[in-house]
Amino acid sequence: MKGPLFYSKILLFGEYGIIKDSKGLSIPYNFYNGALKTDENPSQEAINSNESLKKFVSYLKEINEELVTFDIEVLAQDVKAGMYFDSSIPQGYGVGSSGALVAAIYDKYAHDKITVLENLTREKLLKLKVIFSEMESFFHGKSSGLDPLNSYLSIPILINSKDNIEATGIPAQQSEGKGAVFLLDSGITGETAPMVHIFMENMKQEGFRSMLKDQFIKHTDACVDDFLKGDVKSLFKNTKQLSKVVLNHFKPMIPQQFHELWKKGIETNEYYLKLCGSGGGGYILGFTEDITVAQKSLKDYKLEVVYNF
């Protein structure tokens, strides 16, 4: 048995901000994917994944039935028969490993599921987001539901606010373009829950809250607008500001050994770094007006280009 593929995602803009109603923009990233599978001779990874699925099944049994119901008996049988999630999506890297799994389970086992093929009204998108938020909370403690939504629909999603999301188109890539969005591998696995905890603790301080509103969210919203309009010049100006704000106010989310690298990008304008997901490790997102310059400057690191301007 092998189910359909579900892809990883990248939240280009909006990490942490969307918790407090900033805009956000999430795009599918087809480089990584996962599918539900059973094997005759499962690997240790498959066995571990299957163990995790057993716990997930118990969790799904308790989920609010008015929200969503599953064919739990069939799901439990499949898991008992050794089903696991076969995934190339790195865990703890901010590219949505649990989101793809949630999307795959919903796709195969949910009753009355909302499909990609129907007219996706705002109501349907929000309903899906709420369902996925409940499902993914098993892995994260608190989930916005956006990662599974992106993975399930495999289309870019624009977050205007908590209750206002829409499928969107993004400007076509310029394959010959010098400008690029890239992923930088920190080589460290990040944990979402502790990072979100630090953020929530910081939110108790008046100063942090006003910085979030007046600086972080302001620049995040501007970046989303610039990106969708294809205003590259303004986008880099705002991304630089965002990179500064993150370096000054989100230091715990940036692995220690990247503080200098982060600063160097801002000072030289060769690239600007920002968090990819909750931070603490995993991937760091980079924006550059000239990818060859950035590659030279970051030659000791593994870069993956995800979008060309």
Side-chain angles (χ1 to χ4, degrees):
M1 155 196 151
K2 188 168 182 355
L5 288 177
F6 289 90
Y7 296 105
S8 54
K9 66 86 202 116
I10 293 173
L11 184 63
L12 280 183
F13 300 105
E15 69 293 332
Y16 292 108
I18 52 176
I19 299 176
K20 291 292 156 202
D21 259 4
S22 80
K23 285 190 178 186
L25 181 64
S26 187
I27 60 170
Y29 182 42
N30 299 356
F31 188 74
Y32 296 118
N33 56 55
L36 293 167
K37 233 174 150 182
T38 42
D39 280 346
E40 288 294 306
N41 300 305
S43 66
Q44 189 53 50
E45 266 183 331
I47 292 164
N48 296 346
S49 167
N50 177 261
E51 282 302 315
S52 167
L53 276 179
K54 283 178 189 162
K55 294 180 189 134
F56 192 35
V57 172
S58 310
Y59 174 82
L60 292 179
K61 282 179 183 165
E62 304 300 316
I63 226 163
N64 181 353
E65 286 187 2
E66 284 172 20
L67 192 59
V68 61
T69 58
F70 299 93
D71 204 334
I72 283 285
E73 278 165 30
V74 175
L75 171 56
Q77 274 163 11
D78 288 349
V79 170
K80 202 176 169 189
M83 183 175 79
Y84 67 100
F85 192 58
D86 180 28
S87 167
S88 66
I89 307 170
Q91 290 189 350
Y93 261 66
V95 284
S97 51
S98 56
L101 165 58
V102 164
I105 294 282
Y106 176 83
D107 180 62
K108 192 163 163 55
Y109 300 99
H111 294 138
D112 308 320
K113 66 178 185 184
I114 296 167
T115 70
V116 190
L117 301 171
E118 56 198 271
N119 175 18
L120 284 171
T121 59
R122 188 170 290 170
E123 283 67 37
K124 284 179 185 168
L125 279 173
L126 276 174
K127 186 174 181 198
L128 269 177
K129 183 175 174 285
V130 172
I131 290 169
F132 288 149
S133 164
E134 278 294 307
M135 289 174 72
E136 200 186 29
S137 291
F138 168 76
F139 300 97
H140 284 326
K142 184 170 169 36
S143 156
S144 68
L146 275 169
D147 287 5
L149 185 64
N150 211 297
S151 197
Y152 182 63
L153 300 174
S154 224
I155 46 180
I157 291 164
L158 169 64
I159 303 110
N160 292 303
S161 66
K162 256 202 271 296
D163 305 323
N164 180 352
I165 55 176
E166 56 187 298
T168 187
I170 57 175
Q173 296 204 47
Q174 308 298 323
S175 52
E176 301 301 306
K178 279 178 155 182
V181 182
F182 59 87
L183 292 174
L184 185 154
D185 189 345
S186 72
I188 311 158
T189 305
E191 290 258 348
T192 300
M195 293 296 130
V196 173
H197 178 73
I198 292 170
F199 175 77
M200 288 312 199
E201 283 301 303
N202 286 342
M203 282 301 290
K204 292 174 182 172
Q205 298 161 24
E206 175 71 37
F208 188 84
R209 285 200 303 273
S210 51
M211 173 281 300
L212 199 78
K213 187 164 130 277
D214 303 337
Q215 297 175 45
F216 188 77
I217 290 178
K218 185 181 111 183
H219 295 307
T220 296
D221 287 0
C223 284
V224 171
D225 293 341
D226 291 342
F227 188 89
L228 291 176
K229 281 199 305 239
D231 187 341
V232 176
K233 203 174 161 200
S234 181
L235 172 68
F236 280 102
K237 209 175 80 202
N238 282 305
T239 305
K240 180 176 185 173
Q241 294 308 317
L242 190 57
S243 186
K244 275 187 190 166
V245 172
V246 173
L247 183 61
N248 292 333
H249 301 281
F250 287 79
K251 271 226 171 72
M253 285 75 168
I254 305 170
Q256 185 68 43
Q257 59 272 48
F258 289 93
H259 290 184
E260 278 310 308
L261 208 64
W262 203 285
K263 205 165 124 212
K264 183 184 152 195
I266 294 165
E267 285 167 358
T268 61
N269 296 315
E270 292 173 343
Y271 56 84
Y272 306 124
L273 300 179
K274 64 180 288 299
L275 296 172
C276 178
S278 54
Y283 284 120
I284 292 168
L285 256 178
F287 286 72
T288 178
E289 291 186 77
D290 191 333
I291 187 65
T292 42
V293 171
Q295 278 164 333
K296 217 157 93 188
S297 187
L298 299 164
K299 61 180 188 309
D300 300 334
Y301 299 90
K302 211 170 87 197
L303 304 189
E304 287 168 31
V305 173
V306 297
Y307 186 91
N308 284 99
F309 295 107

